[in-house]
Amino acid sequence: MAAPSEQFWKPHYPCDYYKQEYTDCTSIGHRFHTYYVYGEKPECAQWKKDYEACSAWMKTKSEEAKQELIKVENRHLQQKYYVNPVWPRRVTPPKDWYLPLEEMSQKQQAS
């Protein structure tokens, strides 16, 4: 028997979300914008595959379709939360993380 979290697992997004993302990605406005900003055409095929995986799971509830959809959603979460070109992710906290903020500001002003 599957674990309760897997037994009652549902996608985070409705299948229409993936379909809308694919539609937006293939729109002329998005394609022009992406080419203008990045110098290349957007890759939209993955959104279509994601929609097909979601639709397959909603229709059949098969374990294979479910696992594919879990991979899809994990990939999207990784991209959403862990890819940030502006701020590097910390591995450890700062050395003086425990100091009150006013002591930290005084320490920085003194140096």
Side-chain angles (χ1 to χ4, degrees):
M1 181 174 210
S5 60
E6 288 186 16
Q7 184 179 5
F8 300 108
W9 182 87
K10 290 185 178 181
H12 290 97
Y13 304 110
C15 294
D16 290 342
Y17 169 80
Y18 301 111
K19 185 176 183 180
Q20 186 62 45
E21 287 290 340
Y22 176 71
T23 303
D24 292 345
C25 186
T26 56
S27 72
I28 189 72
H30 178 74
R31 294 178 73 78
F32 177 76
H33 173 76
T34 304
Y35 186 76
Y36 180 78
V37 173
Y38 301 107
E40 56 190 32
K41 296 177 187 175
E43 294 293 327
C44 301
Q46 189 62 49
W47 286 112
K48 187 174 183 180
K49 289 179 187 174
D50 297 349
Y51 172 68
E52 290 168 353
C54 186
S55 296
W57 186 78
M58 295 301 264
K59 288 177 186 173
T60 65
K61 304 287 190 210
S62 74
E63 188 63 27
E64 184 179 317
K66 176 182 166 183
Q67 292 305 320
E68 180 62 30
L69 193 54
I70 289 172
K71 287 180 191 175
V72 164
E73 292 200 0
N74 285 338
R75 185 181 66 246
H76 286 294
L77 286 173
Q78 288 290 325
Q79 290 172 348
K80 184 176 182 179
Y81 293 111
Y82 296 109
V83 176
N84 187 338
V86 179
W87 302 104
R89 293 187 63 80
R90 283 191 211 155
V91 178
T92 59
K95 293 177 186 173
D96 52 358
W97 66 270
Y98 56 88
L99 295 176
L101 291 177
E102 54 193 44
E103 288 181 27
M104 278 184 61
S105 64
Q106 289 172 358
K107 182 179 171 183
Q108 288 177 348
Q109 288 175 357
S111 54

